[in-house]
Amino acid sequence: MKPRLQHFLRGVVTDGAEGPEARLTGPQGSGILTSMTLANALLIIPEGQFQTPMGATLRALILDDPVHVIEPGF
């Protein structure tokens, strides 16, 4: 039996007409750095969830959130 893991997919979160909207940055392979450089968020896919339909609500970790940035020399 495979372990049930939570997944973090590289994505872009933008302000949409009805609130935040997210899309993937492309292929998600561990050696594909282009998708990481384009991402401003990690989309959180809960453990055991194997499909995510378009329009589904997900949690996200925003990577470029200026409120939660630690300045050098803290």
Side-chain angles (χ1 to χ4, degrees):
M1 184 167 131
K2 291 184 179 180
R4 301 178 75 182
L5 302 174
Q6 182 169 258
H7 292 276
F8 296 85
L9 302 181
R10 302 162 190 157
V12 174
V13 175
T14 57
D15 291 324
E18 297 181 24
E21 295 179 352
R23 64 175 175 78
L24 295 177
T25 56
Q28 300 290 306
S30 62
I32 303 173
L33 294 180
T34 303
S35 63
M36 190 60 180
T37 64
L38 297 173
N40 73 351
L42 295 175
L43 307 176
I44 303 169
I45 308 299
E47 63 182 60
Q49 182 172 325
F50 299 106
Q51 294 183 356
T52 304
M54 189 175 286
T57 299
L58 295 173
R59 293 175 50 215
L61 292 173
I62 304 300
L63 300 175
D64 63 353
D65 179 4
V67 175
H68 296 97
V69 173
I70 297 175
E71 295 297 326
F74 62 93

